[in-house]
């Protein structure tokens, strides 16, 4: 037993000094070959999803909305306040945890892709092989999309890590190259997956939704509309009425959801603890700020979305999207509401103001709000869309990224320096691999 604990300590020590891609123990699978039949192939894929759930449960999402203008920090850890103050340091632990978590997901996906691509036995059917391979490519695409949104250019790693330090020395690609990797993986996944509806696993429909988001970020308005149209016309997805119907009463996998990450009593979603007050077994370490509370409680702006917040026994507001006990709250990656927003924004950019307002007002009507009037003022419509997205996704991983991609971050948040629109590469990674270069403007 003593030798076992010494081994664990050694692993922790060397992992902390290794490259950004730690060697990942292949959970519940032994041997040099990860995949040797359908059971082990599915187990390997489950490991990829577990890594995805892990970094989305708290760290990545918190970067997205703590960096926006909806949330205040009620705790004492200064590293969390750094996101709200837009003075994030390279030593920030949340930043490092998100980076490590995403690359762990990439490494697991790489293992599955390598093993199934090279698989030449007959005990896995082609259908199962293609489905698992397609999901691995899809997850890797989302991983790199999440990386480029926070850090810009990052190292692109497509081979699994077999030993510590194996992936050291890979220089950062630029943002365009990372985006190219994303769309290549999405295209590959689309060709492998079936056109079925599954709200907790990647299918071709999920890929189409992610493509709509991808092309919005790339400002390819026509393609964003093209992919959004497919999902908007699909009878398997709809805006549930009223707004809170997709998350209240312990509901999961509703028709509102295109893709969500599931959790269970055995693998709870730790996000709940951060939001709920002490009387509900939480810590309320972050909470809606005064500006968001004012917007959500107004009948003119919040409407039915006021159900996102509640008061504890001390009269303090808290976020109530994550509330279940045990904490089986899903994490919403993409909802049909986002698809309508994508089509609305892209349509406005192309001058189709009627379509933009039609989609925007569908979302406002669902939130029990009055429709916006007809307008041909492009900037006004785009501002309406931005305002509505802020409240629709108040506690989901959107606000910071929306402000940055639309060029509104500096003015809205009072950021003085352009370089702060990208966050610093974690200092631990710079120490581990001298080839990595810090984002401009940061001292480390």
């Amino acid at each position: 037993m003593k030798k076992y604990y010494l081994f664990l300590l050694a692993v922790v020590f060397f992992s902390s000094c290794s490259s950004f891609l730690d060697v990942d123990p292949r959970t519940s699978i032994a041997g040099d070959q990860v995949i040797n039949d359908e059971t082990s192939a599915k187990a390997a894929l489950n490991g990829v999803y577990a890594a995805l759930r892990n970094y989305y449960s708290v760290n990545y999402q918190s970067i997205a909305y703590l960096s926006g203008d909806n949330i205040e920090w009620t705790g004492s850890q200064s590293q969390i306040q750094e996101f709200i103050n837009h003075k994030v340091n390279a030593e920030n632990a949340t930043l490092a945890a998100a980076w490590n978590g995403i690359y762990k997901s990439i490494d697991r996906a790489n293992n599955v892709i390598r093993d199934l691509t090279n698989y030449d036995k007959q005990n896995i059917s082609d259908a199962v092989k293609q489905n698992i391979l397609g999901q691995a490519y899809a997850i890797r695409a989302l991983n790199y999309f999440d990386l480029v949104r926070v850090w810009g250019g990052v190292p692109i790693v497509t081979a699994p890590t077999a030993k510590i330090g194996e992936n050291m020395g890979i220089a950062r690609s630029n943002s365009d190259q990372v985006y190219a990797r994303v769309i290549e993986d999405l295209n590959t996944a689309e060709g492998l997956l079936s056109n079925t509806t599954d709200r907790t696993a990647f299918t071709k429909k999920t890929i189409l939704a992610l493509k709509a988001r991808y092309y919005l970020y790339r400002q390819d308005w026509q393609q964003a509309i093209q992919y959004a149209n497919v999902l908007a016309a699909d009878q398997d997805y709809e805006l549930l009425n009223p707004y809170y119907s997709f998350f209240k009463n312990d509901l999961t996998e509703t028709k509102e959801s295109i893709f969500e990450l599931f959790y269970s009593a055995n693998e709870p979603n730790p996000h709940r603890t951060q939001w709920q007050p002490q009387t509900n077994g939480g810590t309320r370490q972050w909470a809606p700020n005064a500006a968001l509370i004012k917007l959500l409680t107004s009948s003119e702006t919040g409407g039915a979305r006021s159900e996102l917040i509640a008061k504890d026994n001390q009269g303090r507001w808290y976020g109530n999207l994550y509330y279940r006990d045990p904490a089986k709250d899903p994490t919403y990656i993409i909802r049909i509401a986002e698809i309508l927003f994508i089509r609305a924004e892209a349509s406005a950019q192309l001058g189709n103001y009627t379509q933009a307002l039609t989609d925007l007002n569908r979302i406002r009507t669902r939130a029990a709000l009055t429709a916006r009037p007809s307008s041909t003022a492009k900037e006004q419509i785009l501002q309406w869309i931005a305002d509505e997205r802020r409240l629709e996704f108040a506690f989901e991983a959107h606000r910071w990224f929306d402000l940055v991609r639309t060029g509104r971050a500096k003015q809205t948040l009072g950021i003085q320096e352009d370089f702060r629109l990208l966050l610093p590469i974690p200092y631990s990674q710079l120490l581990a691999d001298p080839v990595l270069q810090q984002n401009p403007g940061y001292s480390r």
Side-chain angles (χ1 to χ4, degrees):
M1 183 62 71
K2 182 182 290 185
K3 290 181 179 178
Y4 174 73
Y5 281 116
L6 288 174
F7 171 74
L8 286 181
L9 287 173
V11 169
V12 171
F13 174 78
F14 286 112
S15 294
S16 66
C17 299
S18 69
S19 180
F20 50 84
L21 263 179
D22 294 336
V23 177
D24 182 53
R26 297 158 182 175
T27 306
S28 75
I29 300 176
D32 294 332
Q33 182 72 15
V34 176
I35 294 173
N36 48 49
D37 55 20
E38 287 192 8
T39 300
S40 57
K42 292 175 181 177
L45 181 63
N46 287 339
V48 188
Y49 274 103
L52 179 64
R53 288 194 297 272
N54 182 266
Y55 83 77
Y56 255 104
S57 62
V58 175
N59 293 317
Y60 190 77
Q61 287 199 89
S62 68
I63 291 172
Y65 50 66
L66 289 172
S67 301
D69 51 358
N70 286 336
I71 309 302
E72 65 179 9
W73 170 244
T74 68
S76 58
Q77 294 179 358
S78 60
Q79 61 109 1
I80 300 296
Q81 191 67 36
E82 289 177 8
F83 294 104
I84 295 173
N85 294 341
H86 310 292
K87 300 288 184 181
V88 181
N89 293 304
E91 295 90 345
N92 189 286
T94 298
L95 203 66
W99 175 285
N100 291 335
I102 297 173
Y103 272 109
K104 175 176 280 190
S105 182
I106 289 171
D107 190 42
R108 292 187 179 185
N110 286 341
N111 273 289
V112 172
I113 291 169
R114 178 203 61 186
D115 289 351
L116 279 181
T117 299
N118 298 328
Y119 196 81
D120 58 1
K121 298 178 183 178
Q122 303 300 314
N123 55 348
I124 299 180
S125 69
D126 287 342
V128 170
K129 179 180 175 180
Q130 288 190 11
N131 182 261
I132 293 176
L133 194 55
Q135 291 183 68
Y137 275 110
I139 293 173
R140 192 172 73 178
L142 180 58
N143 295 154
Y144 277 113
F145 186 76
D146 288 341
L147 283 167
V148 74
R149 290 196 290 177
V150 176
W151 289 283
V154 296
I156 296 176
V157 183
T158 57
T161 306
K163 58 185 178 181
I164 290 175
E166 186 173 57
N167 278 311
M168 291 182 66
I170 299 177
R172 295 175 63 183
S173 299
N174 62 40
S175 296
D176 287 338
Q177 291 168 327
V178 179
Y179 275 117
R181 174 80 268 162
V182 172
I183 196 62
E184 183 176 341
D185 280 353
L186 288 176
N187 286 336
T188 301
E190 183 181 357
L192 293 167
L193 296 170
S194 60
N195 197 39
T196 56
T197 301
D198 191 327
R199 305 180 201 282
T200 61
F202 284 93
T203 70
K204 184 176 292 188
K205 292 183 179 182
T206 326
I207 300 303
L208 300 181
L210 291 177
K211 279 189 169 185
R213 180 193 283 177
Y214 170 89
Y215 284 115
L216 182 79
Y217 273 71
R218 301 301 283 160
Q219 298 185 3
D220 186 334
W221 312 123
Q222 196 59 59
Q223 290 212 67
I225 292 170
Q226 173 187 329
Y227 286 104
N229 281 342
V230 177
L231 277 298
D234 193 316
Q235 297 300 307
D236 285 338
Y237 308 110
E238 65 177 85
L239 289 176
L240 299 184
N241 204 348
Y243 167 81
Y244 49 82
S245 300
F246 74 91
F247 69 92
K248 281 286 189 178
N249 302 315
D250 293 338
L251 290 176
T252 61
E253 301 178 55
T254 69
K255 294 187 77 173
E256 172 90 14
S257 183
I258 296 175
F259 181 64
E260 63 188 53
L261 296 173
F262 70 88
Y263 297 81
S264 66
N266 293 325
E267 186 191 3
N269 188 343
H271 215 161
R272 175 198 186 278
T273 303
Q274 313 296 324
W275 287 104
Q276 290 295 310
Q278 289 82 353
T279 52
N280 294 345
T283 59
R284 191 182 169 270
Q285 294 191 65
W286 43 67
N289 62 24
L292 180 63
I293 291 168
K294 182 177 180 180
L295 290 169
L296 287 178
T297 55
S298 168
S299 59
E300 296 182 358
T301 53
R305 290 183 294 227
S306 62
E307 292 291 324
L308 282 170
I309 56 177
K311 282 185 177 181
D312 66 7
N313 60 354
Q314 300 179 48
R316 302 177 304 175
W317 289 100
Y318 61 91
N320 208 30
L321 179 63
Y322 297 90
Y323 61 88
R324 303 167 206 228
D325 189 12
K328 298 187 290 184
D329 308 87
T331 291
Y332 303 100
I333 302 298
I334 189 161
R335 299 194 276 115
I336 192 63
E338 183 181 349
I339 296 300
L340 296 180
F341 273 121
I342 289 171
R343 189 167 67 179
E345 185 174 335
S347 296
Q349 291 286 359
L350 293 178
N352 188 349
Y353 305 131
T354 299
Q355 181 65 63
L357 287 168
T358 296
D359 286 331
L360 176 64
N361 285 329
R362 282 181 63 185
I363 293 167
R364 285 183 59 83
T365 299
R366 190 272 287 268
L369 300 170
T370 58
R372 292 292 189 187
S374 296
S375 175
T376 56
K378 177 180 176 179
E379 291 307 316
Q380 176 66 80
I381 295 173
L382 289 172
Q383 185 63 59
W384 284 342
I385 292 169
D387 292 343
E388 216 65 45
R389 283 184 66 109
R390 176 186 182 181
L391 301 183
E392 178 75 21
F393 307 120
F395 303 141
E396 297 170 64
H398 288 280
R399 182 59 174 168
W400 167 249
F401 303 129
D402 283 344
L403 289 171
V404 171
R405 69 175 178 81
T406 59
R408 292 185 168 91
K410 290 182 65 179
Q411 180 178 357
T412 302
L413 303 173
I415 297 174
Q416 300 299 314
E417 304 97 343
D418 287 339
F419 74 85
R420 294 199 180 276
L421 300 181
L422 291 176
L423 299 188
I425 303 296
Y427 184 53
S428 58
Q429 305 308 316
L430 300 178
L431 285 176
D433 194 343
V435 170
L436 284 180
Q437 297 295 312
Q438 183 58 276
N439 274 326
Y442 292 98
S443 59
R444 291 180 177 177

